Structure formats: C-alpha cells, structure tokens
C-alpha cells in the first residue's frame, strides 16, 4: 500500500501501469503524484502521454503546456505538446511548437515531419516542403513519413514527386495501404482512373475499413460508372 506522501512511488506505479496499457489507472496514479507536487516534471510528462493515448487531446495539451512552461528546454515535452495540439486541430499552435522543437533540436526528425504536416494544413507550402525534405533526410526508412510527404506533393499538384514518394514508402513497407491509394489517385489525375481502380480492388477486399482506401476507390468507381463496393 502506498503512503499518500510517496510522490516518487506514485510516479513509479503510474509508469508501470502505463507500460502495461492500464491507461486510466496510470492517469490516476500520476494525478495523485501531482496533487502532492504540482510541478513534478515526470508526472506531468507521463500523464500527458497517458491522455494522448486515451485521445484526450485537450487534457494532454493542458499538462504538457504547463511542463513546457516549467522546462522550456525539454524537447520531448514540446514535441508531444505539439502532437496534442494537432489532435485538437489547433494547427497554428502546433506549428509554433514544432518550429521550436527543430530550432532546439535540428536533427529531430519527428519535429520536422510534424512541422511539415502542420504547415501543409495551414497552406504554408514552402515551409511544408522544406520540413518534409529535412524529415526525409533524417529518417529515410520511415515509410509513414514518405507517405505523408507524398500526399502533400499530390495535394500541390506535383504528380511525379508524389509517385516517387509513394513508391519509396511501399518499397520500405509493402503492406501499407495509403501509398497505394496515393498512386491510384495519381493515375486518376493523369487520366487513367481504370488503372487506379485495378490497383485498389485487391487491397479493398483485404482492408475494407481503411478510410482513405475506400474513399479513393469510391471516387474512381463513380468516375467510371461502376459500383462503389
């Protein structure tokens, strides 16, 4: 039984519960620690992570913002604060956070890829291009990063660049679905929707619940006058 004044033990218990996937229990343990020491850095960080995992973006943002204020040099805290802000669709706040992450840690690939996404959402395309470029230099084996950069290239009309990025994602992770949806969209933009549909049909049978895959299939099927499922 833990004594109410054992701040470190409450944090240790919360860490163990978080590792075991016991999100609610870990959050309660961290909150017990914070009631004893409201500025406990590790408790603030880990309760923020717990709330992120529980899709409680606003709660995560609140504690992680507080941690960043207490520890401005804590890059992980700032990065996860930015992630929480993206989950809450506060894109400008997220972009500012990710800018600060890469200013503090220029080799932080996660900071660059997330900066690219936030900048792209805000139509800051020049900034997004540079952020994606830096991320891919730092993490050339991250299939998901190539995919995200591919969709940005596609959204800005650069079909050849989008194709190369989607193909690179699939070379790293052949079972990824979203890059194939991207390549099918490229086919459609080039006036070959039937080719795109042929790419998607077998994947849709295997992964019918993938939203981007299903949406792309539906667009191409409508264009060709075929059933959407």
């Amino acid at each position: 039984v833990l004594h109410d004044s054992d701040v470190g033990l409450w944090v240790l218990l919360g860490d163990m519960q978080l590792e075991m996937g016991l999100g609610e229990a870990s959050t309660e343990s961290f909150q017990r620690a914070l009631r004893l020491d409201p500025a406990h850095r590790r408790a603030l960080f880990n309760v923020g992570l717990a709330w992120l995992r529980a899709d409680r973006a606003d709660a995560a943002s609140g504690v992680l913002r507080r941690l960043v204020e207490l520890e401005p040099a804590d890059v992980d805290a700032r990065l996860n604060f930015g992630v929480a802000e993206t989950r809450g669709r506060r894109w400008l706040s997220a972009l500012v956070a990710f800018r600060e992450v890469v200013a503090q840690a220029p080799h932080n690939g996660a900071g660059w890829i997330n900066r690219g996404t936030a900048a792209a959402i805000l139509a800051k395309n020049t900034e997004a291009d540079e952020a994606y470029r830096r991320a891919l230099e730092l993490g050339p084996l991250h299939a998901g990063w190539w995919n995200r950069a591919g969709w940005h290239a596609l959204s800005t009309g650069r079909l050849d660049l989008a194709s190369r990025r989607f193909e690179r994602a699939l070379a790293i992770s052949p079972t990824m679905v979203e890059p194939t949806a991207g390549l099918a969209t490229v086919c459609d933009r080039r006036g070959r929707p039937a080719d795109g549909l042929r790419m998607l049909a077998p994947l849709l049978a295997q992964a019918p619940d993938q939203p981007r895959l299903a949406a792309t299939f539906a667009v191409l099927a409508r264009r060709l006058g075929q059933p959407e499922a």
Side-chain angles (χ1 to χ4, degrees):
V1 177
L2 296 181
H3 192 276
D4 281 349
S5 64
D6 290 331
V7 178
L9 289 177
W10 281 115
V11 173
L12 179 60
L13 177 61
D15 287 343
M16 294 171 61
Q17 291 165 328
L18 190 60
E19 288 297 318
M20 295 169 64
L22 303 174
E24 290 185 14
S26 68
T27 299
E28 175 59 27
S29 295
F30 293 134
Q31 287 177 315
R32 290 287 295 269
L34 289 171
R35 283 196 288 273
L36 295 166
D37 180 1
H40 195 290
R41 273 61 163 175
R42 187 166 153 199
L44 284 168
F45 182 74
N46 285 345
V47 80
L49 290 187
W51 276 331
L52 269 178
R53 292 181 184 180
D55 292 324
R56 294 182 60 186
D58 290 346
S61 286
V63 294
L64 291 169
R65 184 192 299 277
R66 185 173 170 197
L67 179 55
V68 168
E69 291 168 353
L70 289 168
E71 293 284 355
D74 189 331
V75 172
D76 286 339
R78 198 178 294 278
L79 177 66
N80 281 282
F81 168 68
V83 171
E85 291 293 89
T86 66
R87 300 270 182 91
R89 298 189 172 276
R90 292 177 287 272
W91 295 106
L92 184 56
S93 174
L95 179 58
V96 170
F98 296 133
R99 285 171 177 168
E100 291 171 347
V101 167
V102 298
Q104 290 177 283
H107 293 95
N108 190 304
W112 284 111
I113 195 69
N114 283 294
R115 179 177 175 177
T117 299
I121 291 289
L122 294 168
K124 297 179 182 294
N125 290 327
T126 300
E127 180 175 356
D129 285 342
E130 175 62 11
Y132 281 129
R133 184 187 68 78
R134 293 291 300 274
L136 296 174
E137 286 178 353
L138 291 165
L141 298 181
H142 282 272
W145 294 7
W146 286 100
N147 177 63
R148 286 162 70 173
W151 283 99
H152 173 62
L154 183 59
S155 73
T156 51
R158 292 168 291 175
L159 302 185
D160 289 343
L161 179 61
S163 289
R164 290 195 298 272
R165 287 175 169 174
F166 290 136
E167 288 164 358
R168 183 67 177 271
L170 288 170
I172 297 165
S173 181
T175 60
M176 277 189 77
V177 168
E178 286 204 355
T180 303
L183 287 171
T185 304
V186 170
C187 286
D188 182 43
R189 299 274 179 90
R190 287 174 167 160
R192 297 186 284 108
D195 291 343
L197 204 63
R198 279 192 290 272
M199 284 184 187
L200 296 180
L203 285 180
L204 190 63
Q206 298 169 20
D209 297 329
Q210 288 283 342
R212 181 164 265 166
L213 182 62
T216 305
F217 186 91
V219 168
L220 300 186
R222 283 196 299 272
R223 201 180 309 286
L224 294 169
Q226 295 184 15
E228 296 181 14

